[in-house]
Amino acid sequence: MASTPQAIRGMHDILPQHMPYWHTLERVVRDTLAAYGYQEIRMPLVEKTELFKRSIGEVTDIVEKEMYTFTDRNGDSLTLRPEGTAGCVRAAIEHGLLHNQVQRLWYQGPMFRHERPQKGRYRQFHQIGVETFGLPGADIDAELILISRRIWQRLGLLPHVRLELNTLGSPQARQRYRQELVDYLQAHRDRLDGDSLRRLHSNPLRILDSKHPETQAVVAEAPLLIDHLDDASREHFEHLRELLDDNAVTYRINPRLVRGLDYYQKTVFEWITDRLGAQGTVCAGGRFDGLVAQLGGRATPASGFAMGMERLVAMMEDIGTSCDDERPHAYLVMVGEAAQRAGLQLAEQLRDALPGLKLLGNANGGSFKAQMKRADRSGARWALLLGEDELAARRISIKHLREQREQESLTQDELPDYLGKQL
Ligand code: ATP
Ligand code: MG
């Protein structure tokens, strides 16, 4: 028996009924970023595998076990992008966007990670990423946090998210801390889980992030990076806190907050919600001053964040965020062959006169009753009725589908004005 085709596990169709939430999210993000002067950039979905290894880090979950990597017909190793920062930095270097210039960029699109699919965790998911280049100060870290807060506020999500903040210090400070952490964890190695043992030498900071209860208990007593900061990082962090306080941003310092990507230093932050179960981080970011040079560009300070669109949409649906109304305004009912012919032209004239009008024309005939049913199901406010009588009189009847109101009759010339006033 022939089986019907199915989507790849962890990769989802986004069906029309969910689109108003996606469009609303995208519109709010686009408008908010425009209000801060950010410019959009679009990168390819595929990059050389090497790029991700060099940026995200060889011993990270993403590079070790989550990438969709394949050899193309030329024998090159390519990877579906698991995140956007690496490609964005690559593009900025390649096109000379960083020469004596500041850049404030954003992008949006699908990312791919071979993770265990579960609620809020998919193999193809979508991110909106925001990256700044050439700006070393805490002021830009604050701006990024203010942008994200404004997005939550405009989406009605602000009461449901909280901000966690940490600093990872300079790479040198981190290196010194790393040794102290390893020494401490070594002394408690019998209580660490297998994953953490494996990371003890390759990526010990990641152990701070472990979800394993016994490991967490060990970590709770571990020395803190925040106590080992270099002066410059401490000042940067203190200034960021002042700026956030000035702008009444509430946050919690989480000294164990680390990110799963190696390129972060100094500021890191996450926006977290309790409304989504285990996958509660909806936005994560920080400073990555070393990455541009690491990828062959001239040393350039950089800072950014990425948000998970599926998780934000799930929150919007859960909370009932009010969305752009995408239902048609009007449904054109045309009964009889002559009315169907004339109606097609009338519909075109209406769309000429009212470019904002969303008009759904009945197709494939049907009785008056059948067409009225379709009109109702379409969600339209008005059914525009064109039957033989209307046709003969060059009139149109308007039935109000969402309010208790008498049916009205207008000449066809009056119609654009009548509808236009109510859009
Ligand atoms: P997590 O701790 O949830 O695995 P991460 O540290 O891997 O997240 P980032 O790489 O910083 O996440 O990605 C930024 C955001 O993208 C996350 O906060 C999350 O909202 C979203 N995200 C990451 N991975 C996935 C995924 N597999 N499915 C859906 N959303 C994701
Ligand atoms: Mg992850």
Side-chain angles (χ1 to χ4, degrees):
M1 204 172 62
S3 60
T4 53
Q6 287 192 323
I8 306 300
R9 196 165 120 81
M11 303 198 179
H12 294 278
D13 304 302
I14 303 170
L15 298 178
Q17 76 210 66
H18 298 287
M19 284 324 295
Y21 293 98
W22 285 83
H23 288 157
T24 302
L25 172 61
E26 289 162 8
R27 176 181 53 74
V28 164
V29 167
R30 199 178 320 111
D31 292 352
T32 306
L33 286 164
Y36 288 81
Y38 285 61
Q39 291 181 296
E40 187 178 356
I41 181 169
R42 299 188 185 183
M43 296 86 65
L45 301 193
V46 181
E47 300 275 359
K48 288 188 183 148
T49 304
E50 199 49 33
L51 175 70
F52 300 115
K53 289 192 177 167
R54 279 173 67 187
S55 53
I56 298 168
E58 296 265 6
V59 277
T60 55
D61 283 354
I62 294 179
V63 171
E64 272 184 340
K65 52 188 187 195
E66 295 175 359
M67 294 204 303
Y68 280 91
T69 296
F70 62 97
T71 308
D72 81 351
R73 289 173 191 275
N74 302 330
D76 297 326
S77 179
L78 304 183
T79 294
L80 299 185
R81 63 182 187 189
E83 56 101 60
T85 303
C88 186
V89 171
R90 195 261 318 131
I93 296 172
E94 186 171 339
H95 300 288
L97 303 187
L98 306 178
H99 289 308
N100 307 316
Q101 304 170 62
V102 161
Q103 295 289 346
R104 288 173 162 95
L105 304 175
W106 71 277
Y107 51 81
Q108 156 186 0
M111 308 293 163
F112 303 85
R113 297 184 194 177
H114 196 274
E115 304 199 64
R116 192 170 65 79
Q118 52 193 291
K119 183 168 176 265
R121 197 173 285 291
Y122 311 105
R123 290 180 173 175
Q124 175 174 332
F125 61 100
H126 297 77
Q127 282 183 343
I128 291 167
V130 180
E131 320 280 13
T132 69
F133 297 99
L135 297 164
D139 51 353
I140 201 72
D141 298 356
E143 178 172 290
L144 290 167
I145 289 170
L146 292 170
I147 289 173
S148 48
R149 181 178 68 167
R150 190 172 295 277
I151 291 170
W152 314 144
Q153 189 211 334
R154 289 184 176 180
L155 292 170
L157 301 180
L158 192 55
H160 309 283
V161 291
R162 61 175 192 276
L163 177 62
E164 292 198 352
L165 195 64
N166 193 18
T167 176
L168 301 179
S170 68
Q172 296 75 15
R174 199 150 89 211
Q175 203 55 40
R176 287 194 300 272
Y177 166 72
R178 182 190 157 116
Q179 196 47 55
E180 188 164 330
L181 179 67
V182 171
D183 292 345
Y184 166 85
L185 293 171
Q186 278 284 17
H188 299 85
R189 57 177 303 137
D190 49 316
R191 292 167 64 198
L192 298 182
D193 63 286
D195 255 355
S196 296
L197 274 178
R198 205 169 47 78
R199 293 206 171 102
L200 195 50
H201 294 286
S202 61
N203 200 351
L205 263 72
R206 248 327 231 186
I207 300 176
L208 300 176
D209 202 25
S210 168
K211 303 285 179 286
H212 193 271
E214 188 68 12
T215 301
Q216 273 180 344
V218 174
V219 162
E221 305 288 314
L224 294 175
L225 177 51
I226 214 158
D227 298 328
H228 292 71
L229 288 185
D230 52 299
D231 288 344
S233 297
R234 184 177 297 108
E235 279 158 29
H236 186 102
F237 196 53
E238 276 165 14
H239 188 40
L240 173 60
R241 294 184 57 183
E242 279 169 5
L243 295 174
L244 295 178
D245 292 342
D246 285 351
N247 289 282
V249 177
T250 44
Y251 58 86
R252 187 175 82 91
I253 293 179
N254 174 359
R256 284 177 196 83
L257 180 65
V258 289
R259 311 286 356 279
L261 302 90
D262 278 354
Y263 50 64
Y264 287 107
Q265 50 179 288
K266 289 190 177 152
T267 312
V268 288
F269 65 89
E270 287 192 0
W271 288 94
I272 301 165
T273 181
D274 293 325
R275 297 193 73 112
L276 295 177
Q279 315 309 327
T281 303
V282 293
C283 175
R287 186 158 275 285
F288 48 99
D289 289 344
L291 184 57
V292 176
Q294 199 178 309
L295 291 179
R298 211 180 298 168
T300 306
S303 194
F305 66 77
M307 32 199 199
M309 295 178 75
E310 279 77 4
R311 294 182 193 178
L312 289 168
V313 165
M315 259 184 101
M316 289 166 70
E317 294 193 338
D318 181 37
I319 286 159
T321 297
S322 71
C323 282
D324 304 346
D325 189 351
E326 298 186 353
R327 293 173 300 183
H329 297 112
Y331 189 100
L332 181 57
V333 170
M334 299 164 279
V335 185
E337 220 165 284
Q340 281 173 38
R341 277 187 70 171
L344 204 58
Q345 280 178 282
L346 176 67
E348 284 305 292
Q349 285 159 11
L350 281 173
R351 294 189 188 102
D352 286 341
L354 299 169
L357 176 71
K358 287 178 276 183
L359 172 64
L360 197 52
N362 185 70
N364 203 25
S367 67
F368 175 74
K369 208 172 142 204
Q371 293 193 37
M372 281 306 294
K373 242 191 201 154
R374 293 175 200 153
D376 207 39
R377 259 198 315 243
S378 76
R381 264 161 80 186
W382 304 296
L384 309 180
L385 313 180
L386 191 64
E388 278 168 25
D389 295 347
E390 282 89 356
L391 197 59
R394 282 196 47 82
R395 297 187 74 84
I396 192 127
S397 300
I398 300 182
K399 200 170 158 49
H400 297 272
L401 298 172
R402 311 275 155 239
E403 338 164 54
Q404 294 293 341
R405 243 170 94 177
E406 285 292 300
Q407 182 166 317
E408 296 176 72
S409 169
L410 300 176
T411 69
Q412 291 181 9
D413 293 338
E414 291 166 335
L415 187 59
D417 209 38
Y418 175 93
L419 297 178
K421 282 195 180 119
Q422 298 181 69
L423 287 187

